[in-house]
């Protein structure tokens, strides 16, 4: 098979497209011919050695993909060769073929394309568990989404709206905010041109109930000071590059809860919740409430450019690598 291989930590240009032996198929697993695989912010950190998990070299990055089942292992009854599927791959997804545990493989809806399917599990799964389980978002509450046109931010806008919240989307350009509004945002804030804290206070004088934060840095600091009583901040990443610190006195005064979400750890610690979350999300997709946004779909050979689009914030929604 062809694979994008990381042999040493470094920039995307240090990755190489190589021929590798296909992984062996074990019991409870399926072999998948990959048609599309999505790049996540975590992948950009992993190849640079900045992620919380550091796999041994050489490794193939990538968590999520979509494709066709070509072979099933012993004990697999709900999947068969020829099925179109979405998969979570622990073997790496930036390749032409992978082996995945059957528990992390679900049928791809007929109306969903491979690129959309590849872009679906991680971003939507992160936002769904982040808002429902960690943020306890309720209908009628006000949700502030930072980085609202990014891979996870845009899904948080959609899910927040589907849950009945009033959604304020914050992003760094009018073009990105237009995408957030098209995906359900009620109000928008351009935090490159506007004061985030002042603008939130205009839109929500009593403060926001939930903040969904994949950005960190200055945006987190401003959002912390815009919280309503009993508000919740869900921390999912630090795309700004700065990990903020929290003045505990602010948490006390307004009874604010700051909670973290590491979605990938659910594959080990709570796979049942991950599976039920994805099933709920596919229900919302079929109901027309979720519309995966892929701004760039590039062939596997253009992997370095695809990574750069994400790292330099030139993309909205998801960036996907494709195989013909």
């Amino acid at each position: 098979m062809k694979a994008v291989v990381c042999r040493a930590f470094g920039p995307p240009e240090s990755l190489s497209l190589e021929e590798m032996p296909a992984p062996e198929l074990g019991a409870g697993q399926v072999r998948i011919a990959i048609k599309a695989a999505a790049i996540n912010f975590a992948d950009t950190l992993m190849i640079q050695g900045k992620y919380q998990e550091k796999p041994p070299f050489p490794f193939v990055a990538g968590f999520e993909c979509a494709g066709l089942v070509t072979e099933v292992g012993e004990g697999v009854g709900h999947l068969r060769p020829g099925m179109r599927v979405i998969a979570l791959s622990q073997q790496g997804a930036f390749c032409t073929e992978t082996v995945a545990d059957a528990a992390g493989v679900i049928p791809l809806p007929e109306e969903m394309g491979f690129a959309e399917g590849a872009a679906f599990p991680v971003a939507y799964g992160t936002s769904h568990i982040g808002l429902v389980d960690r943020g306890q978002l309720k209908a009628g509450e006000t949700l502030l989404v930072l980085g609202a046109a990014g891979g996870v931010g845009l899904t948080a806008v959609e899910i927040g709206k589907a849950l009945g919240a009033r959604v304020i989307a914050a992003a760094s350009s009018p073009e990105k905010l237009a995408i957030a509004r098209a995906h359900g945002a009620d109000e928008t804030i351009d935090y490159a041109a506007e004061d985030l804290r002042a603008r939130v206070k205009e839109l929500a004088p009593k403060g926001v109930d939930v903040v969904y934060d994949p950005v960190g840095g200055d945006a987190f600091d401003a959002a912390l000071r815009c919280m309503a009583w009993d508000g919740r901040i869900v921390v999912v990443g630090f795309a700004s590059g700065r990990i903020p610190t929290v003045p505990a006195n602010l948490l006390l005064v307004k009874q604010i809860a700051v909670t973290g979400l590491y979605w990938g750890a659910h594959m080990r610690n709570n796979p049942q919740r991950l599976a039920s979350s994805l099933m709920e999300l596919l229900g919302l997709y079929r109901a027309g409430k979720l519309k995966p946004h892929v701004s760039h779909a590039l062939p596997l050979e253009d992997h370095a450019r695809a990574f750069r689009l994400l790292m330099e914030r030139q993309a909205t929604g998801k960036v996907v690598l494709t195989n013909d």
Side-chain angles (χ1 to χ4, degrees):
M1 69 176 189
K2 290 183 179 179
V4 177
V5 181
C6 182
R7 294 190 173 277
F9 293 131
E13 291 75 16
S14 67
L15 301 171
S16 57
L17 184 62
E18 304 177 13
E19 291 284 346
M20 291 184 69
E24 294 184 2
L25 180 70
Q29 296 182 321
V30 296
R31 188 181 303 280
I32 299 167
I34 297 175
K35 297 298 182 182
I39 302 176
N40 291 282
F41 186 68
D43 296 311
T44 71
L45 297 177
M46 185 172 286
I47 66 168
Q48 298 176 83
K50 298 178 180 179
Y51 195 57
Q52 52 259 45
E53 296 182 10
K54 295 177 175 61
F57 299 117
F59 67 85
V60 179
F63 301 107
E64 57 184 346
C65 61
L68 297 171
V69 175
T70 59
E71 188 179 0
V72 299
E74 183 182 352
V76 178
H78 69 291
L79 301 167
R80 63 183 184 278
M83 288 184 67
R84 301 167 72 249
V85 294
I86 297 170
L88 299 173
S89 173
Q90 295 178 325
Q91 301 273 356
F94 302 147
C95 50
T96 55
E97 184 177 314
T98 193
V99 164
D101 292 340
V105 180
I106 57 176
L108 181 70
E110 290 184 7
E111 62 272 29
M112 186 182 283
F114 286 118
E116 283 186 322
F120 196 83
V122 173
Y124 280 105
T126 298
S127 293
H128 187 251
I129 292 179
L131 292 176
V132 174
D133 295 22
R134 308 301 290 166
Q136 298 288 304
L137 181 66
K138 303 174 184 65
E141 291 189 321
T142 298
L143 166 68
L144 171 63
V145 180
L146 305 178
V152 293
L154 197 58
T155 62
V157 170
E158 290 187 330
I159 292 169
K161 194 66 178 176
L163 293 173
R166 177 189 180 222
V167 181
I168 301 173
S172 60
S173 73
E175 294 77 15
K176 291 181 178 180
L177 290 174
I179 292 172
R181 192 174 285 277
H183 283 256
D186 298 292
E187 306 286 353
T188 58
I189 301 173
D190 181 349
Y191 50 50
E194 301 176 277
D195 183 288
L196 177 61
R197 182 180 179 185
R199 184 71 176 127
V200 170
K201 286 184 176 290
E202 289 178 11
L203 295 173
K206 295 183 179 181
V208 297
D209 300 292
V210 177
V211 173
Y212 185 82
D213 181 20
V215 177
D218 294 343
F220 175 94
D221 294 342
L224 179 61
R225 289 162 173 80
C226 302
M227 301 301 297
W229 165 260
D230 207 24
R232 292 85 72 197
I233 301 179
V234 183
V235 177
V236 296
F238 312 103
S240 69
R242 179 172 72 83
I243 299 174
T245 56
V246 182
N249 62 309
L250 295 182
L251 307 184
L252 183 151
V253 171
K254 288 190 176 181
Q255 195 170 291
I256 299 168
V258 179
T259 182
L261 172 67
Y262 178 18
W263 183 86
H266 281 70
M267 286 189 275
R268 294 188 303 271
N269 300 321
N270 196 356
Q272 295 85 1
R273 176 55 183 141
L274 187 149
S276 67
S277 171
L278 288 177
M279 289 300 101
E280 291 173 41
L281 287 165
L282 286 175
L284 291 174
Y285 173 83
R286 293 188 179 97
K289 295 183 178 182
L290 305 179
K291 299 177 181 179
H293 176 68
V294 176
S295 65
H296 297 81
L298 302 175
L300 201 61
E301 292 78 6
D302 287 346
H303 54 271
R305 181 185 167 214
F307 269 82
R308 281 292 173 195
L309 287 168
L310 191 62
M311 294 170 69
E312 296 173 4
R313 300 191 185 185
Q314 299 176 29
T316 54
K318 297 298 285 282
V319 176
V320 170
L321 293 172
T322 62
N323 297 312
D324 293 331

